[in-house]
Amino acid sequence: MKKVLILEDEVNIRSFVVINLKRAGYDAIEAGTGMEALERLKEHPDIGVAILDIMLPDIDGFEVCRNIRATNKQIGIIMLTARTQEMDKVTGLMTGADDYVTKPFSPAELTARIDALYRRIGGDKAETELLSHGPFVMNVRNRTLEKDGERIRLTQVEYSILKLFMQNPGRALSREDVLTAVWGRDYDGELKIVDVNIRRLRIKIEDDATTPKYITTVWGFGYKWGA
């Protein structure tokens, strides 16, 4: 059974999420504090997706996300953000989250986001080819990226975006193209999630993220892979 970690200090909200995830066929692992969540991840290394609330009684959700990403690039991470806190969404994505869900949310919306992350985690199993452009080599089978022979650690979303670019060299891709290919047609979030993940990717792969030469901006449209 696929495992999902739910980090939420409000018992009523956590119980509500747990009940609905179990109905959807997931094994829900609960945590009420940031430190407890990190312990649960050690106890259950096969957790595929973590749902992290931001406001917690000890370390906040951003710090939990940073701790997870320091050792685990494969797990999917969804942040729970408040509707009025726009910067929480950007900060969550920049610290390594793959997606965010705004409170209040419906069980169907959260389950759909988890389903999408699990599909990305389990994708590409039948593919064996290498994608090579400029200094980059992507091993699609192993889901790894190297630049000049050095491994670059990517999250699942970052990997999916870069794979899309490397499969379409020189083609201008709109934000909508990227959103549909990576998050799916049913994703009802905002386009800014594409821009934030591109910013995060540039920090990892560009020689100078302020003057990108690999992922270039097509003004008023989207982005293009130019390696």
Side-chain angles (χ1 to χ4, degrees):
M1 188 178 291
K2 296 176 180 177
K3 292 184 178 180
V4 178
L5 173 70
I6 301 95
L7 170 56
E8 169 62 66
D9 65 319
E10 294 189 35
V11 177
N12 290 339
I13 296 177
R14 190 170 72 242
S15 298
F16 172 74
V17 173
V18 167
I19 290 170
N20 283 281
L21 287 182
K22 287 182 176 179
R23 286 176 179 169
Y26 287 104
D27 183 6
I29 310 298
E30 300 181 55
T33 68
M35 294 307 297
E36 185 181 359
L38 295 175
E39 286 299 317
R40 294 290 176 271
L41 285 163
K42 291 178 183 177
E43 296 167 2
H44 303 273
D46 55 341
I47 288 173
V49 172
I51 303 168
L52 310 179
D53 191 25
I54 295 174
M55 300 301 294
L56 298 165
D58 55 351
I59 58 175
D60 64 24
F62 299 135
E63 187 61 28
V64 175
C65 185
R66 291 187 191 97
N67 272 273
I68 294 173
R69 282 292 180 236
T71 58
N72 190 334
K73 301 295 182 183
Q74 303 304 309
I75 189 173
I77 297 177
I78 299 174
M79 305 297 293
L80 298 181
T81 69
R83 185 177 299 278
T84 57
Q85 297 299 316
E86 190 70 18
M87 279 307 299
D88 283 352
K89 301 172 183 179
V90 176
T91 303
L93 293 171
M94 290 305 293
T95 53
D98 299 296
D99 201 354
Y100 57 82
V101 173
T102 303
K103 293 181 178 180
F105 53 84
S106 70
E109 178 189 9
L110 183 60
T111 302
R113 301 292 179 87
I114 295 169
D115 290 343
L117 272 180
Y118 255 111
R119 283 195 298 272
R120 288 200 290 275
I121 291 168
D124 303 333
K125 289 182 178 177
E127 299 181 88
T128 58
E129 75 269 19
L130 298 178
L131 296 174
S132 180
H133 293 274
F136 300 98
V137 176
M138 175 176 283
N139 187 317
V140 179
R141 186 175 191 179
N142 297 332
R143 299 175 71 85
T144 59
L145 177 75
E146 292 185 355
K147 179 183 179 182
D148 294 323
E150 295 291 326
R151 179 71 59 86
I152 297 175
R153 296 173 67 87
L154 302 177
T155 68
Q156 292 298 320
V157 166
E158 291 165 353
Y159 167 84
S160 297
I161 292 173
L162 196 57
K163 178 169 174 273
L164 176 67
F165 280 126
M166 293 182 72
Q167 288 176 326
N168 295 275
R171 175 187 168 191
L173 297 172
S174 70
R175 291 171 174 83
E176 290 83 358
D177 290 335
V178 178
L179 193 73
T180 299
V182 176
W183 281 269
R185 292 188 181 278
D186 296 329
Y187 182 80
D188 60 356
E190 303 167 66
L191 277 174
K192 74 165 65 66
I193 196 172
V194 174
D195 299 321
V196 176
N197 275 280
I198 294 294
R199 190 190 319 167
R200 206 167 67 187
L201 255 178
R202 283 171 168 169
I203 291 171
K204 291 186 176 184
I205 73 167
E206 296 283 354
D207 301 325
D208 180 357
T210 62
T211 55
K213 64 178 182 179
Y214 302 121
I215 301 177
T216 57
T217 299
V218 180
W219 294 107
F221 184 75
Y223 301 96
K224 183 170 65 175
W225 179 246

